[in-house]
PDB file of all heavy atoms in Angstrom:
ATOM      1  N   PHE A   1       0.830  -1.203   0.000  1.00  0.00           N
ATOM      2  CA  PHE A   1       0.000   0.000   0.000  1.00  0.00           C
ATOM      3  C   PHE A   1       0.866   1.256   0.000  1.00  0.00           C
ATOM      4  O   PHE A   1       0.581   2.220  -0.715  1.00  0.00           O
ATOM      5  CB  PHE A   1      -0.945   0.020   1.202  1.00  0.00           C
ATOM      6  CG  PHE A   1      -1.812   1.255   1.223  1.00  0.00           C
ATOM      7  CD1 PHE A   1      -2.904   1.349   0.379  1.00  0.00           C
ATOM      8  CD2 PHE A   1      -1.511   2.325   2.050  1.00  0.00           C
ATOM      9  CE1 PHE A   1      -3.695   2.497   0.362  1.00  0.00           C
ATOM     10  CE2 PHE A   1      -2.289   3.469   2.046  1.00  0.00           C
ATOM     11  CZ  PHE A   1      -3.394   3.556   1.199  1.00  0.00           C
ATOM     12  N   ILE A   2       1.918   1.258   0.795  1.00  0.00           N
ATOM     13  CA  ILE A   2       2.821   2.406   0.827  1.00  0.00           C
ATOM     14  C   ILE A   2       3.393   2.661  -0.565  1.00  0.00           C
ATOM     15  O   ILE A   2       3.473   3.810  -1.022  1.00  0.00           O
ATOM     16  CB  ILE A   2       3.949   2.165   1.846  1.00  0.00           C
ATOM     17  CG1 ILE A   2       3.377   2.168   3.273  1.00  0.00           C
ATOM     18  CG2 ILE A   2       5.049   3.219   1.709  1.00  0.00           C
ATOM     19  CD1 ILE A   2       4.367   1.687   4.319  1.00  0.00           C
ATOM     20  N   ALA A   3       3.752   1.593  -1.271  1.00  0.00           N
ATOM     21  CA  ALA A   3       4.285   1.739  -2.626  1.00  0.00           C
ATOM     22  C   ALA A   3       3.258   2.376  -3.549  1.00  0.00           C
ATOM     23  O   ALA A   3       3.600   3.209  -4.401  1.00  0.00           O
ATOM     24  CB  ALA A   3       4.724   0.388  -3.176  1.00  0.00           C
ATOM     25  N   GLU A   4       1.976   2.014  -3.397  1.00  0.00           N
ATOM     26  CA  GLU A   4       0.938   2.599  -4.253  1.00  0.00           C
ATOM     27  C   GLU A   4       0.817   4.100  -4.019  1.00  0.00           C
ATOM     28  O   GLU A   4       0.620   4.871  -4.956  1.00  0.00           O
ATOM     29  CB  GLU A   4      -0.397   1.913  -4.002  1.00  0.00           C
ATOM     30  CG  GLU A   4      -0.506   0.532  -4.614  1.00  0.00           C
ATOM     31  CD  GLU A   4      -0.267   0.544  -6.115  1.00  0.00           C
ATOM     32  OE1 GLU A   4      -0.895   1.346  -6.818  1.00  0.00           O
ATOM     33  OE2 GLU A   4       0.568  -0.256  -6.585  1.00  0.00           O
ATOM     34  N   VAL A   5       0.919   4.523  -2.774  1.00  0.00           N
ATOM     35  CA  VAL A   5       0.893   5.962  -2.485  1.00  0.00           C
ATOM     36  C   VAL A   5       2.083   6.648  -3.158  1.00  0.00           C
ATOM     37  O   VAL A   5       1.957   7.725  -3.744  1.00  0.00           O
ATOM     38  CB  VAL A   5       0.897   6.209  -0.962  1.00  0.00           C
ATOM     39  CG1 VAL A   5       0.996   7.709  -0.663  1.00  0.00           C
ATOM     40  CG2 VAL A   5      -0.353   5.618  -0.317  1.00  0.00           C
ATOM     41  N   PHE A   6       3.228   6.014  -3.099  1.00  0.00           N
ATOM     42  CA  PHE A   6       4.423   6.606  -3.713  1.00  0.00           C
ATOM     43  C   PHE A   6       4.374   6.570  -5.238  1.00  0.00           C
ATOM     44  O   PHE A   6       5.024   7.391  -5.886  1.00  0.00           O
ATOM     45  CB  PHE A   6       5.683   5.916  -3.192  1.00  0.00           C
ATOM     46  CG  PHE A   6       6.237   6.561  -1.951  1.00  0.00           C
ATOM     47  CD1 PHE A   6       5.833   6.140  -0.693  1.00  0.00           C
ATOM     48  CD2 PHE A   6       7.148   7.606  -2.044  1.00  0.00           C
ATOM     49  CE1 PHE A   6       6.334   6.746   0.450  1.00  0.00           C
ATOM     50  CE2 PHE A   6       7.658   8.217  -0.909  1.00  0.00           C
ATOM     51  CZ  PHE A   6       7.253   7.788   0.344  1.00  0.00           C
ATOM     52  N   TRP A   7       3.631   5.651  -5.824  1.00  0.00           N
ATOM     53  CA  TRP A   7       3.466   5.675  -7.281  1.00  0.00           C
ATOM     54  C   TRP A   7       2.852   6.993  -7.731  1.00  0.00           C
ATOM     55  O   TRP A   7       3.261   7.578  -8.741  1.00  0.00           O
ATOM     56  CB  TRP A   7       2.595   4.500  -7.745  1.00  0.00           C
ATOM     57  CG  TRP A   7       3.359   3.290  -8.176  1.00  0.00           C
ATOM     58  CD1 TRP A   7       3.567   2.150  -7.458  1.00  0.00           C
ATOM     59  CD2 TRP A   7       4.021   3.089  -9.435  1.00  0.00           C
ATOM     60  NE1 TRP A   7       4.316   1.253  -8.197  1.00  0.00           N
ATOM     61  CE2 TRP A   7       4.610   1.802  -9.415  1.00  0.00           C
ATOM     62  CE3 TRP A   7       4.180   3.874 -10.580  1.00  0.00           C
ATOM     63  CZ2 TRP A   7       5.337   1.284 -10.490  1.00  0.00           C
ATOM     64  CZ3 TRP A   7       4.903   3.358 -11.661  1.00  0.00           C
ATOM     65  CH2 TRP A   7       5.464   2.083 -11.610  1.00  0.00           C
ATOM     66  N   ARG A   8       1.865   7.474  -7.000  1.00  0.00           N
ATOM     67  CA  ARG A   8       1.233   8.752  -7.363  1.00  0.00           C
ATOM     68  C   ARG A   8       2.246   9.891  -7.265  1.00  0.00           C
ATOM     69  O   ARG A   8       2.281  10.777  -8.127  1.00  0.00           O
ATOM     70  CB  ARG A   8       0.033   9.040  -6.443  1.00  0.00           C
ATOM     71  CG  ARG A   8      -1.130   8.080  -6.612  1.00  0.00           C
ATOM     72  CD  ARG A   8      -2.280   8.451  -5.688  1.00  0.00           C
ATOM     73  NE  ARG A   8      -2.811   9.770  -6.008  1.00  0.00           N
ATOM     74  CZ  ARG A   8      -3.723  10.008  -6.933  1.00  0.00           C
ATOM     75  NH1 ARG A   8      -4.214   9.015  -7.647  1.00  0.00           N
ATOM     76  NH2 ARG A   8      -4.156  11.232  -7.156  1.00  0.00           N
ATOM     77  N   ILE A   9       3.056   9.866  -6.210  1.00  0.00           N
ATOM     78  CA  ILE A   9       4.055  10.915  -6.031  1.00  0.00           C
ATOM     79  C   ILE A   9       5.133  10.794  -7.113  1.00  0.00           C
ATOM     80  O   ILE A   9       5.608  11.801  -7.659  1.00  0.00           O
ATOM     81  CB  ILE A   9       4.667  10.833  -4.620  1.00  0.00           C
ATOM     82  CG1 ILE A   9       3.574  10.893  -3.552  1.00  0.00           C
ATOM     83  CG2 ILE A   9       5.663  11.978  -4.411  1.00  0.00           C
ATOM     84  CD1 ILE A   9       4.069  10.581  -2.157  1.00  0.00           C
ATOM     85  N   TYR A  10       5.532   9.558  -7.416  1.00  0.00           N
ATOM     86  CA  TYR A  10       6.525   9.312  -8.465  1.00  0.00           C
ATOM     87  C   TYR A  10       6.066   9.879  -9.801  1.00  0.00           C
ATOM     88  O   TYR A  10       6.823  10.567 -10.502  1.00  0.00           O
ATOM     89  CB  TYR A  10       6.778   7.807  -8.591  1.00  0.00           C
ATOM     90  CG  TYR A  10       7.339   7.382  -9.924  1.00  0.00           C
ATOM     91  CD1 TYR A  10       8.676   7.621 -10.262  1.00  0.00           C
ATOM     92  CD2 TYR A  10       6.532   6.738 -10.863  1.00  0.00           C
ATOM     93  CE1 TYR A  10       9.188   7.227 -11.494  1.00  0.00           C
ATOM     94  CE2 TYR A  10       7.032   6.340 -12.092  1.00  0.00           C
ATOM     95  CZ  TYR A  10       8.357   6.595 -12.406  1.00  0.00           C
ATOM     96  OH  TYR A  10       8.846   6.215 -13.629  1.00  0.00           O
ATOM     97  N   PHE A  11       4.827   9.591 -10.185  1.00  0.00           N
ATOM     98  CA  PHE A  11       4.325  10.087 -11.464  1.00  0.00           C
ATOM     99  C   PHE A  11       4.363  11.621 -11.508  1.00  0.00           C
ATOM    100  O   PHE A  11       4.708  12.216 -12.534  1.00  0.00           O
ATOM    101  CB  PHE A  11       2.901   9.584 -11.702  1.00  0.00           C
ATOM    102  CG  PHE A  11       2.823   8.187 -12.258  1.00  0.00           C
ATOM    103  CD1 PHE A  11       1.829   7.309 -11.825  1.00  0.00           C
ATOM    104  CD2 PHE A  11       3.715   7.742 -13.214  1.00  0.00           C
ATOM    105  CE1 PHE A  11       1.744   6.022 -12.345  1.00  0.00           C
ATOM    106  CE2 PHE A  11       3.633   6.456 -13.745  1.00  0.00           C
ATOM    107  CZ  PHE A  11       2.646   5.597 -13.304  1.00  0.00           C
ATOM    108  N   LYS A  12       3.998  12.260 -10.402  1.00  0.00           N
ATOM    109  CA  LYS A  12       4.057  13.728 -10.341  1.00  0.00           C
ATOM    110  C   LYS A  12       5.482  14.213 -10.587  1.00  0.00           C
ATOM    111  O   LYS A  12       5.720  15.127 -11.380  1.00  0.00           O
ATOM    112  CB  LYS A  12       3.590  14.217  -8.963  1.00  0.00           C
ATOM    113  CG  LYS A  12       2.108  14.115  -8.702  1.00  0.00           C
ATOM    114  CD  LYS A  12       1.344  15.249  -9.341  1.00  0.00           C
ATOM    115  CE  LYS A  12      -0.070  15.313  -8.780  1.00  0.00           C
ATOM    116  NZ  LYS A  12      -0.911  16.254  -9.528  1.00  0.00           N
ATOM    117  N   GLY A  13       6.429  13.602  -9.885  1.00  0.00           N
ATOM    118  CA  GLY A  13       7.813  14.027 -10.021  1.00  0.00           C
ATOM    119  C   GLY A  13       8.364  13.760 -11.399  1.00  0.00           C
ATOM    120  O   GLY A  13       9.137  14.566 -11.941  1.00  0.00           O
ATOM    121  N   TYR A  14       7.992  12.633 -11.996  1.00  0.00           N
ATOM    122  CA  TYR A  14       8.473  12.290 -13.342  1.00  0.00           C
ATOM    123  C   TYR A  14       7.967  13.307 -14.359  1.00  0.00           C
ATOM    124  O   TYR A  14       8.741  13.803 -15.195  1.00  0.00           O
ATOM    125  CB  TYR A  14       7.987  10.887 -13.706  1.00  0.00           C
ATOM    126  CG  TYR A  14       8.577  10.346 -14.987  1.00  0.00           C
ATOM    127  CD1 TYR A  14       9.686   9.506 -14.959  1.00  0.00           C
ATOM    128  CD2 TYR A  14       8.027  10.655 -16.232  1.00  0.00           C
ATOM    129  CE1 TYR A  14      10.240   8.995 -16.125  1.00  0.00           C
ATOM    130  CE2 TYR A  14       8.562  10.161 -17.404  1.00  0.00           C
ATOM    131  CZ  TYR A  14       9.672   9.330 -17.342  1.00  0.00           C
ATOM    132  OH  TYR A  14      10.206   8.835 -18.511  1.00  0.00           O
ATOM    133  N   LEU A  15       6.677  13.623 -14.298  1.00  0.00           N
ATOM    134  CA  LEU A  15       6.115  14.577 -15.263  1.00  0.00           C
ATOM    135  C   LEU A  15       6.639  15.982 -15.017  1.00  0.00           C
ATOM    136  O   LEU A  15       6.832  16.755 -15.956  1.00  0.00           O
ATOM    137  CB  LEU A  15       4.588  14.563 -15.193  1.00  0.00           C
ATOM    138  CG  LEU A  15       3.874  15.287 -16.339  1.00  0.00           C
ATOM    139  CD1 LEU A  15       4.192  14.634 -17.683  1.00  0.00           C
ATOM    140  CD2 LEU A  15       2.367  15.317 -16.114  1.00  0.00           C
ATOM    141  N   GLU A  16       6.906  16.303 -13.750  1.00  0.00           N
ATOM    142  CA  GLU A  16       7.433  17.637 -13.441  1.00  0.00           C
ATOM    143  C   GLU A  16       8.808  17.829 -14.074  1.00  0.00           C
ATOM    144  O   GLU A  16       9.177  18.952 -14.427  1.00  0.00           O
ATOM    145  CB  GLU A  16       7.519  17.804 -11.925  1.00  0.00           C
ATOM    146  CG  GLU A  16       7.503  19.245 -11.450  1.00  0.00           C
ATOM    147  CD  GLU A  16       6.243  19.991 -11.856  1.00  0.00           C
ATOM    148  OE1 GLU A  16       5.176  19.357 -12.014  1.00  0.00           O
ATOM    149  OE2 GLU A  16       6.328  21.223 -12.025  1.00  0.00           O
ATOM    150  N   GLN A  17       9.551  16.751 -14.230  1.00  0.00           N
ATOM    151  CA  GLN A  17      10.870  16.837 -14.864  1.00  0.00           C
ATOM    152  C   GLN A  17      10.802  16.710 -16.388  1.00  0.00           C
ATOM    153  O   GLN A  17      11.801  16.934 -17.070  1.00  0.00           O
ATOM    154  CB  GLN A  17      11.778  15.739 -14.305  1.00  0.00           C
ATOM    155  CG  GLN A  17      12.053  15.901 -12.818  1.00  0.00           C
ATOM    156  CD  GLN A  17      12.947  14.814 -12.261  1.00  0.00           C
ATOM    157  OE1 GLN A  17      14.155  14.807 -12.501  1.00  0.00           O
ATOM    158  NE2 GLN A  17      12.376  13.897 -11.505  1.00  0.00           N
ATOM    159  N   ARG A  18       9.616  16.369 -16.893  1.00  0.00           N
ATOM    160  CA  ARG A  18       9.423  16.224 -18.340  1.00  0.00           C
ATOM    161  C   ARG A  18       8.080  16.834 -18.738  1.00  0.00           C
ATOM    162  O   ARG A  18       7.193  16.138 -19.270  1.00  0.00           O
ATOM    163  CB  ARG A  18       9.470  14.745 -18.725  1.00  0.00           C
ATOM    164  CG  ARG A  18      10.804  14.077 -18.426  1.00  0.00           C
ATOM    165  CD  ARG A  18      10.673  12.576 -18.533  1.00  0.00           C
ATOM    166  NE  ARG A  18      11.938  11.898 -18.265  1.00  0.00           N
ATOM    167  CZ  ARG A  18      12.384  11.610 -17.051  1.00  0.00           C
ATOM    168  NH1 ARG A  18      11.669  11.963 -15.981  1.00  0.00           N
ATOM    169  NH2 ARG A  18      13.533  10.982 -16.876  1.00  0.00           N
ATOM    170  N   PRO A  19       7.867  18.117 -18.510  1.00  0.00           N
ATOM    171  CA  PRO A  19       6.561  18.728 -18.789  1.00  0.00           C
ATOM    172  C   PRO A  19       6.167  18.680 -20.261  1.00  0.00           C
ATOM    173  O   PRO A  19       4.987  18.800 -20.585  1.00  0.00           O
ATOM    174  CB  PRO A  19       6.741  20.171 -18.310  1.00  0.00           C
ATOM    175  CG  PRO A  19       8.229  20.412 -18.334  1.00  0.00           C
ATOM    176  CD  PRO A  19       8.838  19.095 -17.978  1.00  0.00           C
ATOM    177  N   ALA A  20       7.137  18.481 -21.153  1.00  0.00           N
ATOM    178  CA  ALA A  20       6.816  18.395 -22.581  1.00  0.00           C
ATOM    179  C   ALA A  20       5.931  17.184 -22.879  1.00  0.00           C
ATOM    180  O   ALA A  20       5.207  17.186 -23.883  1.00  0.00           O
ATOM    181  CB  ALA A  20       8.088  18.339 -23.418  1.00  0.00           C
ATOM    182  N   ILE A  21       5.984  16.155 -22.034  1.00  0.00           N
ATOM    183  CA  ILE A  21       5.104  15.004 -22.236  1.00  0.00           C
ATOM    184  C   ILE A  21       3.654  15.446 -22.169  1.00  0.00           C
ATOM    185  O   ILE A  21       2.821  15.046 -22.998  1.00  0.00           O
ATOM    186  CB  ILE A  21       5.387  13.903 -21.194  1.00  0.00           C
ATOM    187  CG1 ILE A  21       6.748  13.247 -21.460  1.00  0.00           C
ATOM    188  CG2 ILE A  21       4.283  12.852 -21.197  1.00  0.00           C
ATOM    189  CD1 ILE A  21       7.122  12.190 -20.429  1.00  0.00           C
ATOM    190  N   TRP A  22       3.343  16.275 -21.185  1.00  0.00           N
ATOM    191  CA  TRP A  22       1.964  16.763 -21.058  1.00  0.00           C
ATOM    192  C   TRP A  22       1.606  17.686 -22.226  1.00  0.00           C
ATOM    193  O   TRP A  22       0.524  17.559 -22.817  1.00  0.00           O
ATOM    194  CB  TRP A  22       1.763  17.492 -19.735  1.00  0.00           C
ATOM    195  CG  TRP A  22       0.430  18.185 -19.663  1.00  0.00           C
ATOM    196  CD1 TRP A  22       0.183  19.514 -19.809  1.00  0.00           C
ATOM    197  CD2 TRP A  22      -0.844  17.560 -19.457  1.00  0.00           C
ATOM    198  NE1 TRP A  22      -1.166  19.774 -19.709  1.00  0.00           N
ATOM    199  CE2 TRP A  22      -1.816  18.594 -19.494  1.00  0.00           C
ATOM    200  CE3 TRP A  22      -1.258  16.249 -19.242  1.00  0.00           C
ATOM    201  CZ2 TRP A  22      -3.185  18.336 -19.329  1.00  0.00           C
ATOM    202  CZ3 TRP A  22      -2.616  16.000 -19.082  1.00  0.00           C
ATOM    203  CH2 TRP A  22      -3.559  17.032 -19.120  1.00  0.00           C
ATOM    204  N   ALA A  23       2.500  18.591 -22.578  1.00  0.00           N
ATOM    205  CA  ALA A  23       2.230  19.523 -23.672  1.00  0.00           C
ATOM    206  C   ALA A  23       1.993  18.769 -24.978  1.00  0.00           C
ATOM    207  O   ALA A  23       1.071  19.094 -25.746  1.00  0.00           O
ATOM    208  CB  ALA A  23       3.383  20.513 -23.828  1.00  0.00           C
ATOM    209  N   ASP A  24       2.812  17.753 -25.246  1.00  0.00           N
ATOM    210  CA  ASP A  24       2.644  16.967 -26.467  1.00  0.00           C
ATOM    211  C   ASP A  24       1.369  16.139 -26.425  1.00  0.00           C
ATOM    212  O   ASP A  24       0.709  15.939 -27.453  1.00  0.00           O
ATOM    213  CB  ASP A  24       3.850  16.062 -26.686  1.00  0.00           C
ATOM    214  CG  ASP A  24       5.076  16.832 -27.154  1.00  0.00           C
ATOM    215  OD1 ASP A  24       4.971  18.063 -27.369  1.00  0.00           O
ATOM    216  OD2 ASP A  24       6.149  16.213 -27.292  1.00  0.00           O
ATOM    217  N   TYR A  25       1.008  15.643 -25.243  1.00  0.00           N
ATOM    218  CA  TYR A  25      -0.256  14.918 -25.107  1.00  0.00           C
ATOM    219  C   TYR A  25      -1.426  15.817 -25.484  1.00  0.00           C
ATOM    220  O   TYR A  25      -2.322  15.403 -26.233  1.00  0.00           O
ATOM    221  CB  TYR A  25      -0.432  14.394 -23.676  1.00  0.00           C
ATOM    222  CG  TYR A  25      -1.877  14.162 -23.310  1.00  0.00           C
ATOM    223  CD1 TYR A  25      -2.559  13.054 -23.803  1.00  0.00           C
ATOM    224  CD2 TYR A  25      -2.566  15.073 -22.522  1.00  0.00           C
ATOM    225  CE1 TYR A  25      -3.901  12.861 -23.503  1.00  0.00           C
ATOM    226  CE2 TYR A  25      -3.910  14.887 -22.213  1.00  0.00           C
ATOM    227  CZ  TYR A  25      -4.574  13.772 -22.702  1.00  0.00           C
ATOM    228  OH  TYR A  25      -5.909  13.598 -22.411  1.00  0.00           O
ATOM    229  N   VAL A  26      -1.430  17.041 -24.981  1.00  0.00           N
ATOM    230  CA  VAL A  26      -2.530  17.965 -25.255  1.00  0.00           C
ATOM    231  C   VAL A  26      -2.647  18.242 -26.758  1.00  0.00           C
ATOM    232  O   VAL A  26      -3.744  18.197 -27.334  1.00  0.00           O
ATOM    233  CB  VAL A  26      -2.343  19.272 -24.473  1.00  0.00           C
ATOM    234  CG1 VAL A  26      -3.335  20.340 -24.932  1.00  0.00           C
ATOM    235  CG2 VAL A  26      -2.506  19.023 -22.974  1.00  0.00           C
ATOM    236  N   THR A  27      -1.522  18.505 -27.384  1.00  0.00           N
ATOM    237  CA  THR A  27      -1.532  18.782 -28.826  1.00  0.00           C
ATOM    238  C   THR A  27      -2.039  17.570 -29.614  1.00  0.00           C
ATOM    239  O   THR A  27      -2.892  17.700 -30.502  1.00  0.00           O
ATOM    240  CB  THR A  27      -0.123  19.158 -29.301  1.00  0.00           C
ATOM    241  OG1 THR A  27       0.306  20.331 -28.608  1.00  0.00           O
ATOM    242  CG2 THR A  27      -0.108  19.426 -30.796  1.00  0.00           C
ATOM    243  N   ALA A  28      -1.511  16.386 -29.296  1.00  0.00           N
ATOM    244  CA  ALA A  28      -1.918  15.182 -30.014  1.00  0.00           C
ATOM    245  C   ALA A  28      -3.361  14.802 -29.699  1.00  0.00           C
ATOM    246  O   ALA A  28      -4.079  14.289 -30.572  1.00  0.00           O
ATOM    247  CB  ALA A  28      -0.978  14.034 -29.665  1.00  0.00           C
ATOM    248  N   ARG A  29      -3.792  15.020 -28.479  1.00  0.00           N
ATOM    249  CA  ARG A  29      -5.189  14.756 -28.119  1.00  0.00           C
ATOM    250  C   ARG A  29      -6.136  15.585 -28.956  1.00  0.00           C
ATOM    251  O   ARG A  29      -7.134  15.100 -29.503  1.00  0.00           O
ATOM    252  CB  ARG A  29      -5.406  15.061 -26.637  1.00  0.00           C
ATOM    253  CG  ARG A  29      -6.852  14.982 -26.168  1.00  0.00           C
ATOM    254  CD  ARG A  29      -7.075  15.849 -24.940  1.00  0.00           C
ATOM    255  NE  ARG A  29      -6.902  17.273 -25.241  1.00  0.00           N
ATOM    256  CZ  ARG A  29      -6.773  18.214 -24.309  1.00  0.00           C
ATOM    257  NH1 ARG A  29      -6.756  17.879 -23.026  1.00  0.00           N
ATOM    258  NH2 ARG A  29      -6.646  19.484 -24.651  1.00  0.00           N
ATOM    259  N   ASP A  30      -5.826  16.872 -29.075  1.00  0.00           N
ATOM    260  CA  ASP A  30      -6.685  17.754 -29.861  1.00  0.00           C
ATOM    261  C   ASP A  30      -6.718  17.321 -31.330  1.00  0.00           C
ATOM    262  O   ASP A  30      -7.763  17.374 -31.982  1.00  0.00           O
ATOM    263  CB  ASP A  30      -6.202  19.203 -29.747  1.00  0.00           C
ATOM    264  CG  ASP A  30      -6.389  19.763 -28.346  1.00  0.00           C
ATOM    265  OD1 ASP A  30      -7.086  19.119 -27.537  1.00  0.00           O
ATOM    266  OD2 ASP A  30      -5.833  20.849 -28.057  1.00  0.00           O
ATOM    267  N   GLY A  31      -5.571  16.857 -31.836  1.00  0.00           N
ATOM    268  CA  GLY A  31      -5.538  16.353 -33.201  1.00  0.00           C
ATOM    269  C   GLY A  31      -6.356  15.085 -33.354  1.00  0.00           C
ATOM    270  O   GLY A  31      -7.054  14.901 -34.363  1.00  0.00           O
ATOM    271  N   ALA A  32      -6.285  14.209 -32.355  1.00  0.00           N
ATOM    272  CA  ALA A  32      -7.048  12.962 -32.407  1.00  0.00           C
ATOM    273  C   ALA A  32      -8.549  13.230 -32.320  1.00  0.00           C
ATOM    274  O   ALA A  32      -9.354  12.561 -32.983  1.00  0.00           O
ATOM    275  CB  ALA A  32      -6.605  12.037 -31.280  1.00  0.00           C
ATOM    276  N   LEU A  33      -8.938  14.195 -31.500  1.00  0.00           N
ATOM    277  CA  LEU A  33     -10.356  14.554 -31.411  1.00  0.00           C
ATOM    278  C   LEU A  33     -10.855  15.138 -32.729  1.00  0.00           C
ATOM    279  O   LEU A  33     -11.973  14.848 -33.172  1.00  0.00           O
ATOM    280  CB  LEU A  33     -10.577  15.546 -30.269  1.00  0.00           C
ATOM    281  CG  LEU A  33     -10.421  14.982 -28.853  1.00  0.00           C
ATOM    282  CD1 LEU A  33     -10.418  16.102 -27.821  1.00  0.00           C
ATOM    283  CD2 LEU A  33     -11.547  13.980 -28.545  1.00  0.00           C
ATOM    284  N   ALA A  34     -10.027  15.951 -33.372  1.00  0.00           N
ATOM    285  CA  ALA A  34     -10.398  16.517 -34.664  1.00  0.00           C
ATOM    286  C   ALA A  34     -10.541  15.421 -35.716  1.00  0.00           C
ATOM    287  O   ALA A  34     -11.414  15.481 -36.588  1.00  0.00           O
ATOM    288  CB  ALA A  34      -9.365  17.549 -35.104  1.00  0.00           C
TER     289      ALA A  34
END
């Protein structure tokens, strides 16, 4: 259970160090919706 709590924190930290992943997701999502 402790590991599951840390998975959420890990994902936050990983994306915080690679914010372009989110930016590219948004762009590609909008293209996929179109």
Side-chain angles (χ1 to χ4, degrees):
F1 180 77
I2 292 169
E4 285 303 309
V5 175
F6 271 90
W7 265 101
R8 293 181 63 85
I9 305 170
Y10 158 75
F11 278 141
K12 287 280 194 189
Y14 188 96
L15 192 62
E16 203 60 28
Q17 296 180 74
R18 298 167 179 84
I21 290 177
W22 171 257
D24 286 357
Y25 156 75
V26 170
T27 299
R29 173 205 66 194
D30 292 348
L33 290 170

